[in-house]
Amino acid sequence: MLQDAAPAAVLLAICVLVNAPNAIVGNTAGTPVAAGQDGQLALWWAATALAAGGVVLRRRWPLPMLAVCVLSAGVHVAQAAPLMIIDLSVLVLLYTVASRYAWVISLAALTCLLLVAAGWSLYGERPIPGPSEVLSMGPGLGTPSGPKEVMRVHRQASADAWSGLSVLGSALVASWAIGSGARSRRAYLDELHAHARDLERERDQQAALAVAAERARISRELHDVVAHGLSLMVIQAQGGAAALDNTPADTRTALETIVTTGRDSLADMRHVLAAVGEVDDAWHPQPGLAHLPALLTQVNRAGTPVRLRVEGSPVTLPATMDLSAYRIVQEALTNTMKHAGTGAAASVVLTYHDAEISIEISDNGRARTGDAGAGNGLRGMRERVKLLGGTFTAGPKPRGGFTVRAALPIQGHAT
């Protein structure tokens, strides 16, 4: 409201300075100042105060204030006074209505104002002198030039009326068009802001999903590293304890294996944490299929015989796929050591095809009917394969034992 008080004051000040309303209204009253001029001036100023108030309150009640400003201009016109600067309040309010209301409402307001302006221009003007008045004023009454002068006066009066309508109509249409354009621009900017908020929200959601995916990846890595290392250490500790009384040398070998396995697991864990900036150990290479012989040696030392067979021509795999393939073999052998039982043996078969690499890890241990779809290890392997666009199956064999199969697509090697 306060921000609209300034435009109202400016309109009123310019009207007083430029239009000199006291003098104009006094002249149109046609009476001496002491007689009826004071009443005319008071009525004009009252209507002017309504117009100024309409401008001040235009943002709170646009349509009612438009009606107030139109009423104020009507009072001014009814006094036979010309339109002044303060009557521009009608245009200001029409702009406000057009900028704040829907197109249908603002266009209806414009149509009503145009009809009012047309009625005032055609029927509300001061009477134009008629033919008899002209003839009585003309110097050549009854001469041939008389009728021609009367026709000229009527044509000029009609032209003045339509000229006033065109000016008022053009001003009203221009005010409505500017307000409607401002509303359209504001709606467009609001749409852009809403789109920007949607993009920001989508970006935050993508970031949250990326964080969740990274946490899941780190969880899988830690599970694979810790589960494999601890399984080997537990098995070696059990074997060492059993051989402590009879074969101390085997106990010493088991302890050495425990130490080596613990160090390797710690190194792998440091590498996983380095991927998220927790420790500065990123120089440690990622394990891959090239490290399978060392992994199988650890499993053999832990008491589970395992064989490796490679079919086809080995190719260089992407780092992510190479790591995932290694982790799948590592987790499958860890499950074998934990669940297959004493005396179980395992085999690892890598088959290189033109467009994929197949991994199969199987054992001949005791039947395990509850491991096919449960457990963090199987879940982690399944997620790894899914992220790489491959296929994964795991389940017990008909004659005992367990088999894990994974097929990973090799991009760029299809022929």
Side-chain angles (χ1 to χ4, degrees):
M1 183 184 301
L2 294 178
Q3 60 183 349
D4 292 323
V10 170
L11 282 178
L12 192 58
I14 295 177
C15 179
V16 171
L17 294 176
V18 175
N19 296 134
N22 289 342
I24 293 178
V25 174
N27 291 334
T28 56
T31 57
V33 174
Q37 198 178 85
D38 288 341
Q40 292 277 25
L41 282 174
L43 182 60
W44 188 93
W45 279 107
T48 300
L50 286 178
V55 174
V56 173
L57 299 175
R58 68 188 182 95
R59 296 180 191 270
R60 179 169 295 184
W61 303 296
L63 279 175
M65 292 303 103
L66 175 61
V68 168
C69 291
V70 172
L71 177 62
S72 172
V75 171
H76 292 166
V77 171
Q79 292 181 294
L83 295 177
M84 301 186 193
I85 298 293
I86 193 62
D87 295 312
L88 292 177
S89 60
V90 177
L91 301 181
V92 174
L93 265 296
L94 180 59
Y95 163 83
T96 304
V97 169
S99 65
R100 287 180 170 257
Y101 286 91
W103 182 81
V104 176
I105 297 177
S106 63
L107 188 59
L110 172 64
T111 303
C112 292
L113 290 180
L114 289 176
L115 291 176
V116 171
W120 174 77
S121 298
L122 294 176
Y123 304 106
E125 293 277 7
R126 281 185 147 184
I128 303 297
S132 59
E133 295 176 278
V134 175
L135 290 175
S136 64
M137 295 174 60
L141 184 61
T143 61
S145 62
K148 294 181 180 178
E149 185 177 1
V150 171
M151 296 299 295
R152 182 185 63 78
V153 170
H154 276 284
R155 287 195 300 269
Q156 183 64 38
S158 177
D160 289 343
W162 285 107
S163 175
L165 177 61
S166 64
V167 172
L168 289 176
S170 299
L172 292 173
V173 171
S175 177
W176 176 85
I178 295 174
S180 181
R183 180 177 180 274
S184 299
R185 181 175 180 274
R186 186 168 60 250
Y188 175 71
L189 292 177
D190 291 341
E191 184 178 353
L192 289 181
H193 292 159
H195 183 61
R197 288 193 296 269
D198 292 340
L199 290 177
E200 184 177 359
R201 190 180 303 110
E202 182 179 357
R203 182 196 63 190
D204 294 339
Q205 292 175 350
Q206 293 293 335
L209 291 176
V211 170
E214 182 64 13
R215 287 177 177 174
R217 185 191 69 82
I218 295 172
S219 177
R220 290 193 302 269
E221 290 290 324
L222 290 176
H223 174 270
D224 293 345
V225 170
V226 174
H228 176 73
L230 290 180
S231 297
L232 288 177
M233 293 168 68
V234 169
I235 293 174
Q236 291 292 337
Q238 290 175 343
L244 180 61
D245 296 331
N246 300 324
T247 54
D250 292 341
T251 301
R252 184 179 297 105
T253 302
L255 292 176
E256 292 175 354
T257 302
I258 291 173
V259 172
T260 303
T261 303
R263 288 175 177 174
D264 292 342
S265 297
L266 287 175
D268 287 341
M269 187 178 298
R270 286 176 59 83
H271 175 68
V272 172
L273 296 178
V276 290
E278 295 294 335
V279 294
D280 188 14
D281 197 17
W283 57 267
H284 189 70
Q286 290 270 19
L289 294 181
H291 296 79
L292 282 184
L295 174 64
L296 301 186
T297 300
Q298 288 181 341
V299 175
N300 282 316
R301 288 178 179 176
T304 301
V306 57
R307 295 176 301 156
L308 173 65
R309 187 171 79 251
V310 179
E311 299 178 356
S313 300
V315 296
T316 302
L317 300 177
T320 303
M321 183 176 296
D322 199 22
L323 172 63
S324 297
Y326 176 85
R327 294 302 188 195
I328 291 171
V329 175
Q330 182 186 48
E331 180 60 27
L333 292 178
T334 300
N335 288 340
T336 296
M337 290 187 295
K338 291 166 59 177
H339 304 294
T342 305
S347 64
V348 178
V349 180
L350 301 179
T351 305
Y352 291 89
H353 303 282
D354 291 336
E356 69 176 15
I357 176 175
S358 298
I359 306 171
E360 179 180 314
I361 306 97
S362 61
D363 62 67
N364 58 358
R366 62 171 178 261
R368 293 169 294 174
T369 58
D371 292 342
N376 291 328
L378 292 177
R379 188 182 304 114
M381 287 187 281
R382 184 175 289 106
E383 288 296 325
R384 288 182 184 276
V385 174
K386 181 180 178 181
L387 290 176
L388 294 174
T391 58
F392 177 84
T393 59
K397 297 191 296 184
R399 297 183 179 180
F402 202 82
T403 301
V404 173
R405 292 187 180 90
L408 304 178
I410 303 175
Q411 301 296 333
H413 292 281
T415 56

mmCIF file of all heavy atoms in Angstrom, residues 257-299:
data_model
loop_
_atom_site.group_PDB
_atom_site.id
_atom_site.type_symbol
_atom_site.label_atom_id
_atom_site.label_comp_id
_atom_site.label_asym_id
_atom_site.label_seq_id
_atom_site.Cartn_x
_atom_site.Cartn_y
_atom_site.Cartn_z
ATOM 1 N N THR A 257 49.816 -67.784 8.014
ATOM 2 C CA THR A 257 48.750 -67.524 7.046
ATOM 3 C C THR A 257 47.750 -66.515 7.602
ATOM 4 O O THR A 257 47.244 -65.640 6.877
ATOM 5 C CB THR A 257 48.033 -68.834 6.685
ATOM 6 O OG1 THR A 257 48.994 -69.757 6.169
ATOM 7 C CG2 THR A 257 46.941 -68.593 5.659
ATOM 8 N N ILE A 258 47.449 -66.640 8.903
ATOM 9 C CA ILE A 258 46.528 -65.684 9.525
ATOM 10 C C ILE A 258 47.094 -64.276 9.453
ATOM 11 O O ILE A 258 46.374 -63.305 9.123
ATOM 12 C CB ILE A 258 46.241 -66.104 10.983
ATOM 13 C CG1 ILE A 258 45.417 -67.383 11.011
ATOM 14 C CG2 ILE A 258 45.519 -64.987 11.736
ATOM 15 C CD1 ILE A 258 45.227 -67.954 12.405
ATOM 16 N N VAL A 259 48.362 -64.133 9.757
ATOM 17 C CA VAL A 259 48.992 -62.805 9.707
ATOM 18 C C VAL A 259 48.954 -62.248 8.285
ATOM 19 O O VAL A 259 48.604 -61.080 8.054
ATOM 20 C CB VAL A 259 50.436 -62.886 10.230
ATOM 21 C CG1 VAL A 259 51.161 -61.560 9.994
ATOM 22 C CG2 VAL A 259 50.451 -63.233 11.712
ATOM 23 N N THR A 260 49.331 -63.081 7.316
ATOM 24 C CA THR A 260 49.331 -62.614 5.928
ATOM 25 C C THR A 260 47.929 -62.231 5.468
ATOM 26 O O THR A 260 47.726 -61.183 4.828
ATOM 27 C CB THR A 260 49.891 -63.709 5.006
ATOM 28 O OG1 THR A 260 51.214 -64.061 5.444
ATOM 29 C CG2 THR A 260 49.940 -63.230 3.568
ATOM 30 N N THR A 261 46.959 -63.081 5.800
ATOM 31 C CA THR A 261 45.583 -62.784 5.401
ATOM 32 C C THR A 261 45.073 -61.501 6.054
ATOM 33 O O THR A 261 44.394 -60.678 5.420
ATOM 34 C CB THR A 261 44.664 -63.959 5.753
ATOM 35 O OG1 THR A 261 45.151 -65.147 5.129
ATOM 36 C CG2 THR A 261 43.234 -63.691 5.309
ATOM 37 N N GLY A 262 45.391 -61.321 7.328
ATOM 38 C CA GLY A 262 44.965 -60.109 8.016
ATOM 39 C C GLY A 262 45.548 -58.854 7.400
ATOM 40 O O GLY A 262 44.870 -57.851 7.218
ATOM 41 N N ARG A 263 46.841 -58.931 7.053
ATOM 42 C CA ARG A 263 47.471 -57.774 6.422
ATOM 43 C C ARG A 263 46.859 -57.475 5.057
ATOM 44 O O ARG A 263 46.607 -56.316 4.711
ATOM 45 C CB ARG A 263 48.970 -58.018 6.288
ATOM 46 C CG ARG A 263 49.726 -57.951 7.621
ATOM 47 C CD ARG A 263 51.185 -58.322 7.432
ATOM 48 N NE ARG A 263 51.931 -58.193 8.682
ATOM 49 C CZ ARG A 263 53.196 -58.563 8.843
ATOM 50 N NH1 ARG A 263 53.843 -59.144 7.825
ATOM 51 N NH2 ARG A 263 53.793 -58.395 10.006
ATOM 52 N N ASP A 264 46.634 -58.532 4.281
ATOM 53 C CA ASP A 264 46.021 -58.316 2.960
ATOM 54 C C ASP A 264 44.609 -57.734 3.087
ATOM 55 O O ASP A 264 44.211 -56.847 2.313
ATOM 56 C CB ASP A 264 45.972 -59.633 2.184
ATOM 57 C CG ASP A 264 47.349 -60.132 1.790
ATOM 58 O OD1 ASP A 264 48.297 -59.303 1.808
ATOM 59 O OD2 ASP A 264 47.498 -61.329 1.468
ATOM 60 N N SER A 265 43.857 -58.232 4.049
ATOM 61 C CA SER A 265 42.497 -57.710 4.240
ATOM 62 C C SER A 265 42.523 -56.250 4.668
ATOM 63 O O SER A 265 41.716 -55.434 4.200
ATOM 64 C CB SER A 265 41.759 -58.555 5.283
ATOM 65 O OG SER A 265 41.617 -59.887 4.837
ATOM 66 N N LEU A 266 43.472 -55.914 5.563
ATOM 67 C CA LEU A 266 43.595 -54.514 5.973
ATOM 68 C C LEU A 266 43.980 -53.626 4.795
ATOM 69 O O LEU A 266 43.485 -52.500 4.649
ATOM 70 C CB LEU A 266 44.618 -54.388 7.103
ATOM 71 C CG LEU A 266 44.174 -54.905 8.475
ATOM 72 C CD1 LEU A 266 45.337 -54.815 9.456
ATOM 73 C CD2 LEU A 266 42.984 -54.098 8.981
ATOM 74 N N ALA A 267 44.883 -54.135 3.954
ATOM 75 C CA ALA A 267 45.279 -53.344 2.779
ATOM 76 C C ALA A 267 44.092 -53.144 1.831
ATOM 77 O O ALA A 267 43.884 -52.047 1.296
ATOM 78 C CB ALA A 267 46.437 -54.042 2.049
ATOM 79 N N ASP A 268 43.320 -54.225 1.627
ATOM 80 C CA ASP A 268 42.139 -54.085 0.765
ATOM 81 C C ASP A 268 41.132 -53.112 1.370
ATOM 82 O O ASP A 268 40.505 -52.306 0.667
ATOM 83 C CB ASP A 268 41.479 -55.445 0.555
ATOM 84 C CG ASP A 268 42.287 -56.339 -0.367
ATOM 85 O OD1 ASP A 268 43.130 -55.794 -1.104
ATOM 86 O OD2 ASP A 268 42.088 -57.571 -0.333
ATOM 87 N N MET A 269 40.961 -53.134 2.669
ATOM 88 C CA MET A 269 40.024 -52.233 3.310
ATOM 89 C C MET A 269 40.495 -50.783 3.190
ATOM 90 O O MET A 269 39.701 -49.863 2.947
ATOM 91 C CB MET A 269 39.853 -52.612 4.783
ATOM 92 C CG MET A 269 38.749 -51.818 5.488
ATOM 93 S SD MET A 269 38.535 -52.342 7.204
ATOM 94 C CE MET A 269 38.066 -54.044 6.964
ATOM 95 N N ARG A 270 41.789 -50.576 3.349
ATOM 96 C CA ARG A 270 42.326 -49.233 3.179
ATOM 97 C C ARG A 270 42.108 -48.740 1.757
ATOM 98 O O ARG A 270 41.829 -47.566 1.519
ATOM 99 C CB ARG A 270 43.817 -49.210 3.525
ATOM 100 C CG ARG A 270 44.107 -49.301 5.000
ATOM 101 C CD ARG A 270 45.605 -49.369 5.255
ATOM 102 N NE ARG A 270 46.304 -48.215 4.726
ATOM 103 C CZ ARG A 270 46.423 -47.043 5.357
ATOM 104 N NH1 ARG A 270 45.890 -46.910 6.568
ATOM 105 N NH2 ARG A 270 47.070 -46.038 4.827
ATOM 106 N N HIS A 271 42.206 -49.636 0.801
ATOM 107 C CA HIS A 271 41.984 -49.237 -0.580
ATOM 108 C C HIS A 271 40.516 -48.861 -0.815
ATOM 109 O O HIS A 271 40.208 -47.889 -1.504
ATOM 110 C CB HIS A 271 42.380 -50.361 -1.527
ATOM 111 C CG HIS A 271 42.065 -50.064 -2.957
ATOM 112 N ND1 HIS A 271 42.720 -49.092 -3.669
ATOM 113 C CD2 HIS A 271 41.151 -50.613 -3.808
ATOM 114 C CE1 HIS A 271 42.232 -49.054 -4.901
ATOM 115 N NE2 HIS A 271 41.272 -49.955 -5.001
ATOM 116 N N VAL A 272 39.593 -49.621 -0.227
ATOM 117 C CA VAL A 272 38.165 -49.296 -0.361
ATOM 118 C C VAL A 272 37.869 -47.932 0.239
ATOM 119 O O VAL A 272 37.168 -47.097 -0.337
ATOM 120 C CB VAL A 272 37.298 -50.389 0.284
ATOM 121 C CG1 VAL A 272 35.834 -49.963 0.328
ATOM 122 C CG2 VAL A 272 37.439 -51.687 -0.488
ATOM 123 N N LEU A 273 38.411 -47.667 1.423
ATOM 124 C CA LEU A 273 38.199 -46.379 2.062
ATOM 125 C C LEU A 273 38.877 -45.251 1.310
ATOM 126 O O LEU A 273 38.406 -44.110 1.319
ATOM 127 C CB LEU A 273 38.701 -46.425 3.515
ATOM 128 C CG LEU A 273 37.958 -47.401 4.428
ATOM 129 C CD1 LEU A 273 38.588 -47.397 5.815
ATOM 130 C CD2 LEU A 273 36.483 -47.055 4.503
ATOM 131 N N ALA A 274 39.997 -45.558 0.644
ATOM 132 C CA ALA A 274 40.672 -44.526 -0.145
ATOM 133 C C ALA A 274 39.813 -44.058 -1.300
ATOM 134 O O ALA A 274 39.931 -42.927 -1.761
ATOM 135 C CB ALA A 274 42.016 -45.064 -0.658
ATOM 136 N N ALA A 275 38.927 -44.931 -1.774
ATOM 137 C CA ALA A 275 38.055 -44.540 -2.901
ATOM 138 C C ALA A 275 37.118 -43.417 -2.514
ATOM 139 O O ALA A 275 36.637 -42.675 -3.371
ATOM 140 C CB ALA A 275 37.250 -45.751 -3.383
ATOM 141 N N VAL A 276 36.820 -43.245 -1.219
ATOM 142 C CA VAL A 276 35.951 -42.160 -0.782
ATOM 143 C C VAL A 276 36.731 -41.104 0.000
ATOM 144 O O VAL A 276 36.150 -40.283 0.698
ATOM 145 C CB VAL A 276 34.803 -42.708 0.092
ATOM 146 C CG1 VAL A 276 33.844 -43.507 -0.736
ATOM 147 C CG2 VAL A 276 35.343 -43.550 1.240
ATOM 148 N N GLY A 277 38.054 -41.140 -0.119
ATOM 149 C CA GLY A 277 38.871 -40.087 0.456
ATOM 150 C C GLY A 277 39.136 -40.220 1.936
ATOM 151 O O GLY A 277 39.540 -39.267 2.583
ATOM 152 N N GLU A 278 38.855 -41.390 2.525
ATOM 153 C CA GLU A 278 39.073 -41.545 3.955
ATOM 154 C C GLU A 278 40.558 -41.666 4.292
ATOM 155 O O GLU A 278 41.006 -41.167 5.307
ATOM 156 C CB GLU A 278 38.316 -42.772 4.471
ATOM 157 C CG GLU A 278 36.813 -42.648 4.360
ATOM 158 C CD GLU A 278 36.268 -41.567 5.266
ATOM 159 O OE1 GLU A 278 36.917 -41.267 6.270
ATOM 160 O OE2 GLU A 278 35.188 -41.038 4.965
ATOM 161 N N VAL A 279 41.308 -42.369 3.443
ATOM 162 C CA VAL A 279 42.739 -42.510 3.671
ATOM 163 C C VAL A 279 43.453 -42.298 2.355
ATOM 164 O O VAL A 279 42.889 -42.453 1.281
ATOM 165 C CB VAL A 279 43.089 -43.918 4.239
ATOM 166 C CG1 VAL A 279 42.500 -44.101 5.624
ATOM 167 C CG2 VAL A 279 42.584 -45.006 3.322
ATOM 168 N N ASP A 280 44.701 -41.938 2.436
ATOM 169 C CA ASP A 280 45.483 -41.655 1.227
ATOM 170 C C ASP A 280 46.277 -42.899 0.849
ATOM 171 O O ASP A 280 47.464 -43.025 1.130
ATOM 172 C CB ASP A 280 46.421 -40.477 1.496
ATOM 173 C CG ASP A 280 47.105 -40.033 0.220
ATOM 174 O OD1 ASP A 280 46.658 -40.454 -0.861
ATOM 175 O OD2 ASP A 280 48.081 -39.257 0.319
ATOM 176 N N ASP A 281 45.578 -43.867 0.239
ATOM 177 C CA ASP A 281 46.242 -45.102 -0.138
ATOM 178 C C ASP A 281 45.767 -45.535 -1.520
ATOM 179 O O ASP A 281 45.617 -46.708 -1.802
ATOM 180 C CB ASP A 281 45.942 -46.183 0.892
ATOM 181 C CG ASP A 281 46.923 -47.354 0.773
ATOM 182 O OD1 ASP A 281 47.982 -47.194 0.138
ATOM 183 O OD2 ASP A 281 46.606 -48.409 1.327
ATOM 184 N N ALA A 282 45.474 -44.546 -2.401
ATOM 185 C CA ALA A 282 44.898 -44.848 -3.708
ATOM 186 C C ALA A 282 45.895 -45.500 -4.657
ATOM 187 O O ALA A 282 45.506 -45.982 -5.709
ATOM 188 C CB ALA A 282 44.360 -43.559 -4.339
ATOM 189 N N TRP A 283 47.171 -45.511 -4.285
ATOM 190 C CA TRP A 283 48.162 -46.128 -5.187
ATOM 191 C C TRP A 283 48.054 -47.639 -5.180
ATOM 192 O O TRP A 283 48.550 -48.308 -6.077
ATOM 193 C CB TRP A 283 49.581 -45.715 -4.749
ATOM 194 C CG TRP A 283 49.892 -46.086 -3.327
ATOM 195 C CD1 TRP A 283 49.740 -45.324 -2.229
ATOM 196 C CD2 TRP A 283 50.410 -47.349 -2.870
ATOM 197 N NE1 TRP A 283 50.119 -46.003 -1.091
ATOM 198 C CE2 TRP A 283 50.545 -47.250 -1.466
ATOM 199 C CE3 TRP A 283 50.773 -48.538 -3.503
ATOM 200 C CZ2 TRP A 283 51.021 -48.287 -0.682
ATOM 201 C CZ3 TRP A 283 51.252 -49.576 -2.716
ATOM 202 C CH2 TRP A 283 51.373 -49.450 -1.340
ATOM 203 N N HIS A 284 47.394 -48.177 -4.167
ATOM 204 C CA HIS A 284 47.266 -49.631 -4.081
ATOM 205 C C HIS A 284 46.398 -50.122 -5.236
ATOM 206 O O HIS A 284 45.280 -49.652 -5.415
ATOM 207 C CB HIS A 284 46.619 -50.007 -2.748
ATOM 208 C CG HIS A 284 46.656 -51.485 -2.488
ATOM 209 N ND1 HIS A 284 47.794 -52.176 -2.200
ATOM 210 C CD2 HIS A 284 45.660 -52.415 -2.480
ATOM 211 C CE1 HIS A 284 47.526 -53.456 -2.016
ATOM 212 N NE2 HIS A 284 46.228 -53.628 -2.188
ATOM 213 N N PRO A 285 46.885 -51.068 -6.054
ATOM 214 C CA PRO A 285 46.133 -51.465 -7.248
ATOM 215 C C PRO A 285 44.867 -52.225 -6.895
ATOM 216 O O PRO A 285 44.790 -52.923 -5.889
ATOM 217 C CB PRO A 285 47.129 -52.361 -8.009
ATOM 218 C CG PRO A 285 48.032 -52.897 -6.945
ATOM 219 C CD PRO A 285 48.151 -51.810 -5.923
ATOM 220 N N GLN A 286 43.827 -52.074 -7.754
ATOM 221 C CA GLN A 286 42.595 -52.821 -7.585
ATOM 222 C C GLN A 286 42.842 -54.288 -7.926
ATOM 223 O O GLN A 286 43.518 -54.604 -8.895
ATOM 224 C CB GLN A 286 41.522 -52.266 -8.536
ATOM 225 C CG GLN A 286 41.026 -50.878 -8.156
ATOM 226 C CD GLN A 286 39.843 -50.948 -7.208
ATOM 227 O OE1 GLN A 286 39.617 -51.974 -6.578
ATOM 228 N NE2 GLN A 286 39.103 -49.868 -7.107
ATOM 229 N N PRO A 287 42.277 -55.207 -7.138
ATOM 230 C CA PRO A 287 42.430 -56.629 -7.496
ATOM 231 C C PRO A 287 41.597 -56.951 -8.724
ATOM 232 O O PRO A 287 40.559 -56.330 -8.984
ATOM 233 C CB PRO A 287 41.915 -57.364 -6.251
ATOM 234 C CG PRO A 287 40.994 -56.405 -5.591
ATOM 235 C CD PRO A 287 41.538 -55.037 -5.879
ATOM 236 N N GLY A 288 42.042 -57.914 -9.502
ATOM 237 C CA GLY A 288 41.339 -58.348 -10.698
ATOM 238 C C GLY A 288 41.566 -59.828 -10.930
ATOM 239 O O GLY A 288 42.102 -60.558 -10.067
ATOM 240 N N LEU A 289 41.135 -60.295 -12.096
ATOM 241 C CA LEU A 289 41.288 -61.716 -12.402
ATOM 242 C C LEU A 289 42.752 -62.140 -12.426
ATOM 243 O O LEU A 289 43.055 -63.330 -12.228
ATOM 244 C CB LEU A 289 40.615 -62.032 -13.738
ATOM 245 C CG LEU A 289 39.086 -61.874 -13.761
ATOM 246 C CD1 LEU A 289 38.547 -62.234 -15.148
ATOM 247 C CD2 LEU A 289 38.442 -62.755 -12.692
ATOM 248 N N ALA A 290 43.648 -61.216 -12.672
ATOM 249 C CA ALA A 290 45.077 -61.562 -12.643
ATOM 250 C C ALA A 290 45.537 -61.965 -11.243
ATOM 251 O O ALA A 290 46.580 -62.621 -11.086
ATOM 252 C CB ALA A 290 45.904 -60.379 -13.152
ATOM 253 N N HIS A 291 44.775 -61.574 -10.198
ATOM 254 C CA HIS A 291 45.141 -61.918 -8.828
ATOM 255 C C HIS A 291 44.485 -63.225 -8.365
ATOM 256 O O HIS A 291 44.612 -63.598 -7.191
ATOM 257 C CB HIS A 291 44.731 -60.797 -7.872
ATOM 258 C CG HIS A 291 45.439 -59.502 -8.124
ATOM 259 N ND1 HIS A 291 45.092 -58.632 -9.139
ATOM 260 C CD2 HIS A 291 46.493 -58.926 -7.474
ATOM 261 C CE1 HIS A 291 45.870 -57.572 -9.098
ATOM 262 N NE2 HIS A 291 46.743 -57.725 -8.113
ATOM 263 N N LEU A 292 43.775 -63.920 -9.250
ATOM 264 C CA LEU A 292 43.129 -65.166 -8.851
ATOM 265 C C LEU A 292 44.111 -66.234 -8.359
ATOM 266 O O LEU A 292 43.806 -66.945 -7.389
ATOM 267 C CB LEU A 292 42.294 -65.724 -10.006
ATOM 268 C CG LEU A 292 40.933 -65.066 -10.239
ATOM 269 C CD1 LEU A 292 40.180 -65.788 -11.354
ATOM 270 C CD2 LEU A 292 40.107 -65.079 -8.959
ATOM 271 N N PRO A 293 45.259 -66.411 -8.992
ATOM 272 C CA PRO A 293 46.184 -67.434 -8.463
ATOM 273 C C PRO A 293 46.542 -67.221 -7.000
ATOM 274 O O PRO A 293 46.580 -68.179 -6.208
ATOM 275 C CB PRO A 293 47.411 -67.310 -9.373
ATOM 276 C CG PRO A 293 46.840 -66.813 -10.673
ATOM 277 C CD PRO A 293 45.758 -65.859 -10.268
ATOM 278 N N ALA A 294 46.797 -65.959 -6.604
ATOM 279 C CA ALA A 294 47.110 -65.685 -5.195
ATOM 280 C C ALA A 294 45.907 -65.984 -4.307
ATOM 281 O O ALA A 294 46.048 -66.526 -3.196
ATOM 282 C CB ALA A 294 47.554 -64.233 -5.026
ATOM 283 N N LEU A 295 44.711 -65.649 -4.786
ATOM 284 C CA LEU A 295 43.508 -65.942 -4.007
ATOM 285 C C LEU A 295 43.315 -67.445 -3.834
ATOM 286 O O LEU A 295 43.004 -67.920 -2.727
ATOM 287 C CB LEU A 295 42.288 -65.328 -4.710
ATOM 288 C CG LEU A 295 40.916 -65.653 -4.104
ATOM 289 C CD1 LEU A 295 40.803 -65.075 -2.704
ATOM 290 C CD2 LEU A 295 39.794 -65.140 -5.002
ATOM 291 N N LEU A 296 43.499 -68.199 -4.928
ATOM 292 C CA LEU A 296 43.336 -69.649 -4.835
ATOM 293 C C LEU A 296 44.382 -70.261 -3.923
ATOM 294 O O LEU A 296 44.124 -71.273 -3.245
ATOM 295 C CB LEU A 296 43.397 -70.268 -6.231
ATOM 296 C CG LEU A 296 42.339 -69.773 -7.236
ATOM 297 C CD1 LEU A 296 42.429 -70.581 -8.516
ATOM 298 C CD2 LEU A 296 40.957 -69.862 -6.639
ATOM 299 N N THR A 297 45.577 -69.704 -3.919
ATOM 300 C CA THR A 297 46.617 -70.208 -3.015
ATOM 301 C C THR A 297 46.188 -70.040 -1.564
ATOM 302 O O THR A 297 46.392 -70.935 -0.723
ATOM 303 C CB THR A 297 47.933 -69.466 -3.269
ATOM 304 O OG1 THR A 297 48.344 -69.682 -4.631
ATOM 305 C CG2 THR A 297 49.022 -69.940 -2.327
ATOM 306 N N GLN A 298 45.585 -68.872 -1.245
ATOM 307 C CA GLN A 298 45.100 -68.662 0.124
ATOM 308 C C GLN A 298 44.022 -69.682 0.492
ATOM 309 O O GLN A 298 44.025 -70.234 1.602
ATOM 310 C CB GLN A 298 44.522 -67.242 0.261
ATOM 311 C CG GLN A 298 45.557 -66.132 0.256
ATOM 312 C CD GLN A 298 44.895 -64.774 0.432
ATOM 313 O OE1 GLN A 298 43.696 -64.633 0.212
ATOM 314 N NE2 GLN A 298 45.679 -63.794 0.830
ATOM 315 N N VAL A 299 43.116 -69.947 -0.442
ATOM 316 C CA VAL A 299 42.035 -70.893 -0.159
ATOM 317 C C VAL A 299 42.605 -72.305 0.012
ATOM 318 O O VAL A 299 42.172 -73.063 0.900
ATOM 319 C CB VAL A 299 40.985 -70.847 -1.278
ATOM 320 C CG1 VAL A 299 39.901 -71.905 -1.062
ATOM 321 C CG2 VAL A 299 40.357 -69.457 -1.366
#
